[in-house]
Amino acid sequence: MRRQRIRMRDLRRRFLAFCHAHRGSAPALLLAPATLWLLVFTLIPVGIVMYYSFLTRGAWGSVTSELTLENYQQLLDPTFGRVLLRSLWMAALTTVLCLGSGYLLAYWIAFASGPYKSLCLFLVILPFWSSDLVRLYAWITLLADHGLINDALLACGLITEPLPLLHNAFAVLLGLVYTYLPFMVLPLYAALERLDRAVLEAAADLGATPARRFVKVTLPLTKGGMLSGSVLVFVPTLGEFVIPELLGGAKVMLIGKLIALKFTGSRHWPLGAAYSLVLLLIILGLLLVYLRLGGSQEVFAERKA
Amino acid sequence: MDRHLRRQLDTHVEGFLTARLTRRDFLQRSAALGVGASLLTEILRLQAATVIEPEPGPQVLEKIKQEGKKLFLYNWEDYIHPRTIPRFEKTFGVKVTYDTFPSNEHLLAKLQAGAARYDVIFPTHNFIPIYRAQGLLAPLNHEHLPNLQHVHTKFLNTSFDPGNTYAVPYGWGMTGIAHNTKHTQDDTHLGSWALLFQNNQKYARKLGFTDEREEVIAAALLSLGYSANSRNKDELRQAGDVLLRLKPQIKAFYPGVELRKALITEDVVVAQSWSGEVVKAHAKNAAVAWNVPKEGGTGWFDTMAIPKKAAHKFTAAVFINFMLRPDVAADNANTTGYATANRTAVEQYVASQVVNNPAIYPSDEALGRIAFLETITDELLPTYDAIWTRLLGS
């Protein structure tokens, strides 16, 4: 035990001596853990996907190491374009709906819930404690033709035929909004909570109506939360795979399913990799737009404050 | 069974348990006792239900021990009797890890990725050539599979796996039409794919399909009067068009368990369905009926195979042989809703209501209309893929 402690001390001294001797490379050393993390979990996997996207499909769906650009030519396939556009549209719609409803909820929690604030936040996070699948199956139970909602409406005599709630674009959108709403609420809540109440009071003192205060003060000051929430919702929604399968009855195909189909049914890994990479580039492009739009400014402004 | 017979059976089974007789001894003694043939079969059925395990030999146990007493299985959902694995674990002292896969394509992709270290997988017959071509399976040592003798010759030595070098049959089933008699009783199209394809306004949004590409396209081909395994690209194109026109009426493309649920709740009243799902749905909703359409249906059998990268190949072979044991095969067949390829099991162990169910063991006439699915070759795959992608993506 004692010997070990001595050895540890020795090791520490040698490490410090090493650091001292290589002072010039301190930034590199400090960046090493993050770089390693990025390398292992981001760059290498993406690199593998990129490599595959240039390979050739062999017999029976094997992959041969012959390089080709053919997979990228298949991006002109009209189905790919249509499905991609539909996915972008669904993701945008989900983001807007999450933003609208999430803002209301976050605003209420931050300003009006009083002593129930922690409870409300807890309730927002609560769904994460159960599996996605379980919650989606719960929605199936609610929305099916002979599900709880339709049965209740039929029993009340409000409708005579079950409403088409499940296995369509509506159900998919509902599932997406439901699943990703917490990702919007939490950053919005953080932004609203951080909002300096004195600023609002000053605006009131200067004669601003509540509506004007909200538009001129609250909204601009929570732009950062809105932007990060939107990114957190938009990006995973774009690649969502399970929700369209379960709630859409596999009839509303989004890009995630198309990519999965290339890897499974089509037995064409290089093409699936090319599709994935294109999706990744689109997301990357949108993130750049986000940073340009003010994501970085927000970060910068907050740091200054 | 009346009480008297029941007691007789109990006594026999008890005697069987205490004496630890081999089955042959038991048969001889029972015969000597003058037990009637029907009673004998009942006893054997009951014996299949009681857990009596033949002791595995010491060399077998030693080899299993050397491999680490572990086994990783990858099977379809709801495709085994719940007690089969505990029985195997107890008899051979193996810790089994059991996962399920949703489709053949997923199974293949996982194996191709190379990371999954499963010891026994359950691919469908028409996928075996793909595994073989890519060298993903380990050849089977038939010396370890003496119970292969129980398998019906119809499923052995097929063109998909000559000599059963890589895979042995497990369960089999059909794909045809499920319908709800409450809603379809007066339909003149009963027993025909027209029920789904031509009469669809009546069942708009009440039509279900399987989520398996080959099955859906085969149904469309059959409805047009073509072969389920058509290789004619013009016929395939027509099938694709028919499906695309039908899509607005289709409720959903369901995976097996979901399809079963939709049939039970009557969310769908007419559906292309796997036979076993109808069997299980019928148990919950008696109005769910089944037929092999007059134009024909499709058939398939699932197999057991050992991936090349499996870490416990001997234990895997022991497991496969265990699954081929007639009483175990019967156990599985009694609960899955699908037929077993095990002939001895059908003749001696499978419950009579299962054997007599035409949705599990069809008549020879119905079986004659069943076409076993062929492998989709590389040449045909782009056509199938395009039809399927266009159908789901439209």
Side-chain angles (χ1 to χ4, degrees), chain B residues 334-371:
Chain B
N334 282 340
T335 49
T336 57
Y338 292 102
T340 172
N342 195 305
R343 181 182 220 145
T344 317
V346 177
E347 283 166 358
Q348 296 182 13
Y349 296 93
V350 180
S352 48
Q353 69 267 29
V354 173
V355 177
N356 295 326
N357 187 339
I360 303 177
Y361 294 94
S363 64
D364 286 345
E365 183 271 321
L367 195 57
R369 276 178 281 142
I370 294 288

Side-chain angles (χ1 to χ4, degrees), chain B residues 268-316:
Chain B
V268 299
V269 297
V270 179
Q272 178 196 33
S273 176
W274 294 284
S275 50
E277 302 310 320
V278 181
V279 171
K280 281 177 276 189
H282 179 81
K284 294 264 174 73
N285 181 342
V288 178
W290 157 262
N291 67 54
V292 177
K294 64 170 191 277
E295 300 93 338
T298 49
W300 37 265
F301 63 93
D302 293 312
T303 65
M304 297 180 277
I306 304 176
K308 192 169 248 171
K309 288 191 173 173
H312 314 95
K313 290 199 177 73
F314 179 76
T315 316

Side-chain angles (χ1 to χ4, degrees), chain A residues 124-139:
Chain A
V124 170
I125 305 165
L126 191 66
F128 287 121
W129 290 11
S130 67
S131 147
D132 267 20
L133 280 177
V134 174
R135 286 180 280 140
L136 290 176
Y137 275 101
W139 274 111

Side-chain angles (χ1 to χ4, degrees), chain A residues 57 59-62 79 82 86 137 144-146 164 167 249-251 253 258 261-262 264-267 269, chain B residues 105 108-109 112-113 130 133-134 205-206 213 247 250-253 258 265 267 376 378 381 385 389 392-394:
Chain A
R57 180 190 186 277
W60 295 104
S62 56
T79 309
R82 190 166 54 235
R86 183 187 296 145
Y137 275 101
D145 277 6
H146 297 275
H167 299 321
K251 286 192 307 177
M253 182 150 80
L258 185 63
L261 267 183
K262 292 298 149 202
T264 55
S266 317
R267 309 200 293 260
W269 286 38
Chain B
E105 287 85 1
L108 177 63
Q112 272 181 306
I130 306 175
Q134 297 198 34
R205 293 206 321 107
K206 293 281 180 195
R213 180 184 65 196
K247 194 187 173 188
I250 296 174
K251 180 111 182 146
F253 297 93
E258 298 309 306
T265 59
D267 273 34
I376 307 294
D378 273 348
L381 186 61
D385 193 33
T389 316
L392 298 187
S394 67

Side-chain angles (χ1 to χ4, degrees), chain A residues 22-284:
Chain A
H22 297 81
R23 252 169 316 180
S25 53
L29 278 175
L30 287 171
L31 278 173
T35 314
L36 193 71
W37 194 92
L38 275 175
L39 192 72
V40 170
F41 292 108
T42 310
L43 291 176
I44 291 178
V46 171
I48 292 172
V49 173
M50 196 187 283
Y51 174 61
Y52 263 85
S53 75
F54 291 106
L55 297 181
T56 313
R57 180 190 186 277
W60 295 104
S62 56
V63 180
T64 61
S65 55
E66 204 177 312
L67 295 175
T68 177
L69 282 171
E70 199 188 321
N71 304 315
Y72 287 94
Q73 280 162 17
Q74 293 216 37
L75 296 173
L76 299 171
D77 178 6
T79 309
F80 174 73
R82 190 166 54 235
V83 172
L84 183 63
L85 277 180
R86 183 187 296 145
S87 306
L88 285 167
W89 167 242
M90 285 295 257
L93 211 57
T94 307
T95 310
V96 169
L97 288 173
C98 278
L99 186 61
S101 49
Y103 205 97
L104 281 177
L105 183 61
Y107 192 90
W108 185 79
I109 296 176
F111 285 96
S113 55
Y116 302 110
K117 198 181 270 183
S118 336
L119 179 69
C120 288
L121 272 180
F122 172 72
L123 289 177
V124 170
I125 305 165
L126 191 66
F128 287 121
W129 290 11
S130 67
S131 147
D132 267 20
L133 280 177
V134 174
R135 286 180 280 140
L136 290 176
Y137 275 101
W139 274 111
I140 293 178
T141 316
L142 284 171
L143 299 174
D145 277 6
H146 297 275
L148 290 175
I149 293 175
N150 271 318
D151 276 358
L153 290 174
L154 282 168
C156 299
L158 287 170
I159 51 171
T160 50
E161 278 286 299
L163 296 173
L165 299 176
L166 191 61
H167 299 321
N168 51 32
F170 162 78
V172 175
L173 195 62
L174 182 72
L176 289 172
V177 171
Y178 167 77
T179 307
Y180 292 105
L181 189 61
F183 292 95
M184 182 64 90
V185 172
L186 294 177
L188 278 177
Y189 169 79
L192 284 162
E193 188 60 32
R194 218 169 32 216
L195 181 69
D196 192 348
R197 304 297 195 268
V199 183
L200 287 174
E201 281 161 23
D205 288 346
L206 293 170
T209 60
R212 206 174 152 73
R213 256 182 342 185
F214 179 73
V215 175
K216 289 280 175 190
V217 181
T218 315
L219 274 186
L221 284 177
T222 50
K223 196 172 129 199
M226 296 199 305
L227 278 170
S228 7
S230 299
V231 168
L232 286 179
V233 171
F234 187 86
V235 172
T237 311
L238 194 58
E240 178 59 49
F241 167 70
V242 180
I243 295 171
E245 280 300 276
L246 285 177
L247 299 181
K251 286 192 307 177
V252 189
M253 182 150 80
L254 299 186
I255 191 73
K257 165 78 173 182
L258 185 63
I259 292 171
L261 267 183
K262 292 298 149 202
F263 279 96
T264 55
S266 317
R267 309 200 293 260
H268 201 325
W269 286 38
L271 186 56
Y275 281 8
S276 316
L277 211 67
V278 168
L279 184 64
L280 201 75
L281 287 177
I282 290 171
I283 291 172
L284 220 60

